Amino acid sequence: MESKTLQSKSISLSERTQQYPPGVLYTDGYNLFLFNFTCNLSLDHTRKSTIDRHLFEKHRKLKAEIDSYETASSSKKKRKGNENYERQRDVIFDLTEAFVCANIPLEKIDNPKLRAFLNKHVINAGAIPTAGQLRREYLPQIAELHKMKIVQLVKMSDSVSVVTDESTNAKDQYVLHILFVLQGLSNTFELKVILADTVNLHSVNYSSVAQGIVKCLNEFEVNLNNVTGFVSDNASYMIKAYNNIIQGLLPNSVHLTCNAHIIALASNIWANNFPKADKLVATVKKIV
């Protein structure tokens, strides 16, 4: 034991330094001290176990600091990436909503000239998806947001009138437009008209019309007791739909038929009975 102790004390600074990788330990030129380069702490060069324990602790702390830094850096990058992703989605959402509100077909976004303009003048415009992706991912979200806004307005209003009218779409298919006329949203008597839904009609009859209207009222959470008016044209199936189904669901409503439609029907009868006069009117319209 005494021999080993004497042997440890007799080891020189340079000899102890050479036992470790280059750059780990160094000497200041004195014969009594050994310095650790990372912390400039004076060490007893005669005890290798003390030096090893000190280096192990420094290595463990340094590794913990590096791991902590890498974790924080990774979290920061991930958070920044998520923020950029969310900001990008907001821009695309707003763009899609602007196209819809301006009645611009989403297919226009695929126009090469428009794409070239956006890529040249708008930062990260290349991230804007194609019309198909906008229609699949963003259009349903806009529709849902639009629906939520209508639901809130309906709940805030004092009374609701339902206005309906059938028409045809671009594919010459029959559709039913359903509008809400809201009253009591402000202190004035101003009315707010909202297109709530456009229902595709596979067949035009009182049953399909009534089903579309009832479904629309339920989807927008309309209080049926607050519906005071139901406006439609004078078609026989509209009258039957109200009398047989809708009137029972809307106890406080009054059915109003469109006067313009009645006048149009009367004018058609007049034109059929006086073809020469009808031709004269058509000719004067062309001149004017």
Side-chain angles (χ1 to χ4, degrees):
M1 178 68 68
E2 184 179 357
S3 175
K4 288 185 178 180
T5 304
L6 293 174
Q7 185 177 2
S8 298
K9 289 184 178 179
S10 65
I11 191 169
S12 67
L13 291 171
S14 59
E15 288 174 343
R16 183 68 78 192
T17 303
Q18 292 175 2
Q19 292 179 349
Y20 294 89
V24 175
L25 303 176
Y26 76 97
T27 176
D28 62 351
Y30 295 95
N31 295 325
L32 299 177
F33 299 100
L34 184 69
F35 294 90
N36 181 277
F37 182 78
T38 59
C39 62
N40 281 339
L41 178 67
S42 175
L43 299 174
D44 182 5
H45 75 284
T46 62
R47 297 180 179 276
K48 188 175 185 298
S49 60
T50 301
I51 299 173
D52 291 342
R53 185 169 60 254
H54 176 74
L55 292 177
F56 174 78
E57 288 297 323
K58 293 299 295 183
H59 174 74
R60 184 181 62 80
K61 292 180 180 179
L62 181 61
K63 185 176 184 303
E65 291 176 358
I66 293 175
D67 291 343
S68 176
Y69 173 79
E70 290 179 348
T71 302
S73 178
S74 176
S75 300
K76 184 177 180 181
K77 289 181 180 179
K78 185 177 180 180
R79 184 168 60 253
K80 186 175 181 181
N82 291 337
E83 290 175 356
N84 292 336
Y85 176 73
E86 290 300 326
R87 191 180 301 112
Q88 186 181 90
R89 285 186 64 87
D90 288 343
V91 171
I92 298 173
F93 182 91
D94 292 343
L95 176 66
T96 307
E97 187 177 27
F99 269 54
V100 172
C101 293
N103 201 25
I104 301 175
L106 294 180
E107 285 76 10
K108 299 297 183 182
I109 201 68
D110 295 333
N111 182 276
K113 193 68 176 180
L114 179 59
R115 279 282 179 180
F117 173 83
L118 293 175
N119 290 332
K120 181 178 180 181
H121 297 285
V122 179
I123 300 176
N124 296 329
I128 298 176
T130 60
Q133 188 174 350
L134 293 179
R135 190 177 293 105
R136 290 192 305 270
E137 297 183 14
Y138 292 90
L139 197 58
Q141 298 178 31
I142 294 173
E144 185 63 25
L145 178 63
H146 179 69
K147 176 183 175 181
M148 291 172 58
K149 290 180 178 179
I150 294 178
V151 170
Q152 291 300 319
L153 290 174
V154 169
K155 290 182 178 180
M156 292 168 56
S157 63
D158 294 334
S159 64
V160 181
S161 294
V162 180
V163 180
T164 63
D165 187 29
E166 70 277 3
S167 181
T168 55
N169 58 18
K171 297 181 179 180
D172 205 29
Q173 299 172 334
Y174 286 103
V175 295
L176 178 68
H177 300 297
I178 304 175
L179 294 84
F180 293 159
V181 181
L182 308 180
Q183 184 177 2
L185 293 175
S186 62
N187 294 329
T188 64
F189 292 99
E190 182 180 356
L191 303 178
K192 186 173 183 62
V193 181
I194 298 173
L195 175 61
D197 199 1
T198 298
V199 181
N200 292 318
L201 297 176
H202 298 292
S203 58
V204 182
N205 54 55
Y206 84 97
S207 178
S208 61
V209 168
Q211 288 177 6
I213 295 171
V214 173
K215 181 180 178 181
C216 179
L217 294 174
N218 289 332
E219 285 184 353
F220 289 96
E221 303 177 17
V222 178
N223 186 344
L224 302 183
N225 292 323
N226 287 346
V227 179
T228 57
F230 181 81
V231 182
S232 70
D233 58 26
N234 206 37
S236 59
Y237 60 85
M238 293 298 296
I239 296 176
K240 187 175 181 180
Y242 180 80
N243 292 336
N244 290 12
I245 301 175
I246 298 175
Q247 186 177 21
L249 299 175
L250 310 178
N252 298 322
S253 67
V254 176
H255 187 199
L256 302 174
T257 55
C258 180
N259 292 329
H261 186 256
I262 296 174
I263 295 174
L265 293 176
S267 62
N268 288 336
I269 296 174
W270 180 85
N272 292 333
N273 286 277
F274 301 96
K276 293 183 179 180
D278 182 51
K279 185 177 180 180
L280 176 61
V281 172
T283 303
V284 172
K285 285 183 177 180
K286 291 180 181 179
I287 296 174
V288 175

